[in-house]
Amino acid sequence: MAEDHSDSRISAFECDVLRNAFKKSVIEESIPEYRWRSHAMLLVSELTDHEDVASDALDWIVRK
């Protein structure tokens, strides 16, 4: 059965999982800080099938 992605919101749980995945990938892949935001956008897109991510959600994912 196909998934309905008409509701593009990401839950708090999903955000937490995404943030942890982001942190781990930045460390493992030695991604420089200037690329964090674009890396987070790509990661969210790949893991959630959401093309657009709210800027405040991205800010939270990439914050130190």
Side-chain angles (χ1 to χ4, degrees), residues 29-64:
E29 298 174 31
S30 300
I31 297 173
E33 190 170 349
Y34 74 91
R35 289 188 41 220
W36 286 5
R37 194 168 182 83
S38 61
H39 178 67
M41 288 174 49
L42 180 61
L43 188 67
V44 170
S45 177
E46 288 179 354
L47 296 178
T48 66
D49 291 330
H50 295 306
E51 295 299 319
D52 296 320
V53 183
S55 63
D56 57 339
L58 277 177
D59 291 342
W60 182 79
I61 290 170
V62 302
R63 78 173 185 199
K64 291 183 180 181

